[in-house]
Amino acid sequence: MFRQNFKRRRAQEKRHFADSSLETHSATLTYPYRLNFYDTPPTLEITAEEFEQWAIDRMRVLGEIESRLARNFPPKELEASLRPILDKYLPLGSNASMARASSSDPTPVDIKNGPLHFDENNEQHKRLKDHYSHFILRLAFCRSQELRKRFVHAETVLFRIRYNSDDPEERAAFAQSCNLAWDPVTDSERSELSKKLDWLAETDKDSSFFKVDFERVPDLVADRRVVLHNGKAYVPRSQLQSFVQTEFSSRLDRALLQTVRALPRLEEDDRLVPLLNHLAVGFEAFSTYDPAQVGGVPGSADEIRASNVDALVDAHYPLCMQTMHRGLVSTKHLRYNARLQYGNFLKWIGLSVDEALIFWRSHFNVPEDKFSKEYRYNIRHQYGLEGSRINYRPHSCAEIINGPLPARGEFHGCPYRTFSTDTLVASLQRMGINDTQHLAEIQGNVARRQYHVACTQVYELTHPEDTKKYDETITHPNQYFERSYKQK
Ligand code: SF4
């Protein structure tokens, strides 16, 4: 829906999306650092396609961060597992790598001659994409306290990952440039507080300090990693990272509250509102899995037949598809929503239309003429062979989770959302998950409404042999099947 609306407007592609009240006019734009505090909104013209695509790319990164945090990844594993995702969707190189690519200084992005022609190999352009995508998502995520909290959390983790992987000299230069308003500790203060500072310096292996108002470093105060004196926190240099990150999140927090105030003016822009509403659904709505690119499980066309579908259910189906299949077997029928979800799923795992007709015929308890009249056409329609001949795609988790809820006697939807606690636990136990801690963690994610994260946990627990299981969060039932099937 959103895409259709948006495409209709592609004739007006070259638009200026910046809020004019926030503009700072300049003829060129240079990003001297890889890191960014995003203090200044961008003002360059970009196309509607870039606006949409850059926002979605950043959503994918933030979604993967949120999912990994919910699955309690340790910091090192979190950073390592996110590296390929960052390289794919939001790559950023250091100044040193830019200098290696070009002997001259970083070339500023020239905006004098009209809209940018984005070059994905140009380091300045990558930074510009990072800058824009951050500000676009601010517009989407400033709307409620819950969205703001999620956005600040995920963005701060992204900043931390980049900070930790930055070149130390560039990182120090960036921190200096941020106007962080810290004060040096004078020699007299150093000797006055020597007892306390020396103890901290010894435990922290760092003898140099700076001082800030204590409320600016609440985490360090809580962890007793600073010395407090006269309302000031004396912070060891080694804790600069924590200080910079705290500063990043508090500035972003404040900026989001300012952005809310600018929103009413945006509501008049009918190009932006549908996109921003779509983005605000949440990170999980942006699947990194594209079934069209996969086109079914490779090599499965000859293997996936009506006669062996039953054998795939326990081994490779996510819980939603298991539920529909079992509902089909037990009631000999499925209602419309489940036929749609399950039928598209089967098509994209590689079941041909002829095999689909055999499959549905053998499972439906209806006379032949009723099946031909009421169901044959719909199955062929699903394969793009009747009517408007659209090659329908399978539903993603976001579409299933946000779609219609099942009524009594219906089996569609996401079980992590629709099942009662007892039914969910029984289903998980049937899948072999019996450990009480694992069950509690999965239920915790369900309670936080992170259904796709719960499903990813289930995949990980039931597929210990999959070494690539941490690559991407499950956001699509066909992705779950494909990954599982490749392990066999
Ligand atoms: Fe199916 Fe997605 Fe729900 Fe998993 S999270 S059960 S794949 S809809």
Side-chain angles (χ1 to χ4, degrees):
M1 174 69 187
F2 154 73
R3 281 180 178 276
Q4 283 168 358
N5 281 344
F6 220 80
K7 276 177 184 162
R8 252 183 255 141
R9 296 185 177 104
R10 284 218 170 121
Q12 309 167 316
E13 258 183 15
K14 295 190 173 169
R15 296 282 190 179
H16 189 180
F17 286 104
D19 178 343
S20 57
S21 67
L22 299 172
E23 277 187 29
T24 53
H25 294 282
S26 62
T28 57
L29 211 59
T30 309
Y31 296 94
Y33 306 106
R34 176 172 169 267
L35 298 168
N36 196 335
F37 258 18
Y38 309 105
D39 286 330
T40 314
T43 57
L44 184 59
E45 288 188 15
I46 60 170
T47 66
E49 273 180 332
E50 285 163 346
F51 187 95
E52 178 188 5
Q53 191 54 54
W54 294 357
I56 290 172
D57 284 352
R58 194 176 196 92
M59 289 287 274
R60 287 174 167 152
V61 170
L62 299 185
E64 291 296 338
I65 289 174
E66 192 177 64
S67 160
R68 282 160 172 71
L69 291 174
R71 280 142 64 210
N72 300 321
F73 272 43
K76 283 222 165 85
E77 210 172 300
L78 175 83
E79 294 189 19
S81 68
L82 280 169
R83 217 162 285 139
I85 291 160
L86 278 168
D87 289 346
K88 188 168 173 189
Y89 296 110
L90 277 181
L92 285 182
S94 65
N95 286 349
S97 69
M98 253 192 313
R100 277 196 295 278
S102 154
S103 53
S104 60
D105 284 341
T107 315
V109 180
D110 186 356
I111 60 173
K112 280 181 296 197
N113 302 318
L116 165 81
H117 295 290
F118 186 73
D119 172 2
E120 61 184 25
N121 296 314
N122 181 314
E123 207 54 55
Q124 286 289 314
H125 286 193
K126 289 182 200 167
R127 293 179 185 186
L128 179 124
K129 174 183 172 184
D130 175 64
H131 189 196
Y132 263 86
S133 59
H134 171 87
F135 271 91
I136 297 167
L137 293 197
R138 272 194 194 184
L139 295 172
F141 280 84
C142 65
R143 296 151 176 237
S144 72
Q145 198 182 359
E146 193 200 332
L147 287 175
R148 286 196 292 275
K149 200 170 146 199
R150 288 175 67 184
F151 183 63
V152 171
H153 194 190
E155 280 283 342
T156 305
V157 172
L158 174 60
F159 180 83
R160 188 188 75 207
I161 291 169
R162 286 174 168 171
Y163 188 94
N164 289 345
S165 62
D166 209 11
D167 176 89
E169 280 180 23
E170 288 175 31
R171 188 165 60 193
F174 167 76
Q176 282 296 338
S177 76
C178 286
N179 194 18
L180 292 169
W182 68 57
D183 294 323
V185 174
T186 61
D187 288 346
S188 63
E189 284 174 306
R190 186 77 175 80
S191 53
E192 187 193 336
L193 297 170
S194 62
K195 214 168 165 190
K196 290 177 179 176
L197 295 183
D198 285 347
W199 177 81
L200 195 61
E202 205 173 286
T203 55
D204 226 302
K205 297 190 174 38
D206 194 334
S207 57
S208 62
F209 289 81
F210 61 92
K211 64 178 179 183
V212 291
D213 292 338
F214 78 91
E215 62 270 26
R216 292 178 64 199
V217 285
D219 291 350
L220 295 178
V221 173
D223 292 348
R224 297 169 186 263
R225 283 183 282 155
V226 293
V227 170
L228 295 177
H229 182 68
N230 284 348
K232 295 283 182 189
Y234 289 71
V235 186
R237 283 266 160 196
S238 59
Q239 300 297 338
L240 182 62
Q241 172 201 354
S242 173
F243 172 60
V244 173
Q245 280 164 28
T246 307
E247 189 68 16
F248 177 88
S249 32
S250 27
R251 284 190 195 190
L252 182 53
D253 236 352
R254 289 195 296 273
L256 286 172
L257 289 173
Q258 284 174 353
T259 313
V260 186
R261 291 188 209 117
L263 270 189
R265 275 175 286 158
L266 269 181
E267 300 293 337
E268 291 158 19
D269 192 324
D270 70 343
R271 295 163 302 155
L272 292 189
V273 171
L275 169 59
L276 295 176
N277 289 342
H278 183 60
L279 293 172
V281 169
F283 305 135
E284 61 275 20
F286 294 86
S287 172
T288 47
Y289 178 81
D290 182 359
Q293 278 182 6
V294 181
V297 177
S300 63
D302 293 335
E303 298 171 18
I304 295 183
R305 297 179 168 278
S307 53
N308 63 13
V309 165
D310 287 355
L312 302 172
V313 176
D314 284 340
H316 305 302
Y317 274 27
L319 189 52
C320 52
M321 298 302 157
Q322 287 193 19
T323 304
M324 282 186 281
H325 187 86
R326 290 188 213 289
L328 173 64
V329 170
S330 65
T331 64
K332 303 272 180 212
H333 188 256
L334 281 183
R335 291 195 196 156
Y336 175 77
N337 281 314
R339 290 204 305 273
L340 198 66
Q341 273 176 29
Y342 191 27
N344 273 325
F345 169 82
L346 287 171
K347 175 178 126 183
W348 286 81
I349 67 170
L351 192 72
S352 70
V353 64
D354 292 336
E355 290 293 317
L357 286 164
I358 297 169
F359 172 79
W360 289 106
R361 180 72 201 93
S362 64
H363 282 84
F364 269 25
N365 186 20
V366 291
E368 181 60 38
D369 61 331
K370 184 173 164 73
F371 184 82
S372 291
K373 229 187 284 168
E374 292 182 23
Y375 301 111
R376 186 178 296 277
Y377 178 90
N378 287 339
I379 293 164
R380 287 178 52 79
H381 186 266
Q382 207 160 39
Y383 278 78
L385 300 171
E386 302 285 358
S388 50
R389 293 181 180 262
I390 293 168
N391 189 16
Y392 292 99
R393 292 193 182 198
H395 295 69
S396 68
C397 295
E399 287 167 317
I400 294 172
I401 290 166
N402 296 311
L405 292 173
R408 201 177 182 71
E410 290 188 312
F411 301 96
H412 64 272
C414 173
Y416 297 100
R417 181 181 178 208
T418 59
F419 276 9
S420 67
T421 305
D422 288 348
T423 312
L424 181 60
V425 169
S427 304
L428 295 174
Q429 286 173 333
R430 199 183 51 228
M431 292 171 88
I433 301 170
N434 292 300
D435 184 281
T436 45
Q437 194 187 333
H438 290 151
L439 289 169
E441 283 171 8
I442 294 164
Q443 285 174 278
N445 279 316
V446 169
R448 286 188 289 277
R449 290 183 287 159
Q450 294 187 316
Y451 310 116
H452 68 305
V453 178
C455 188
T456 307
Q457 278 179 309
V458 169
Y459 179 86
E460 289 167 0
L461 291 167
T462 52
H463 295 76
E465 73 288 358
D466 183 354
T467 52
K468 293 200 165 179
K469 63 188 172 188
Y470 295 143
D471 279 4
E472 284 177 352
T473 305
I474 300 291
T475 51
H476 204 295
N478 289 68
Q479 173 196 14
Y480 187 110
F481 178 89
E482 183 204 336
R483 214 186 272 179
S484 174
Y485 193 76
K486 281 181 178 168
Q487 300 300 315
K488 77 184 175 78

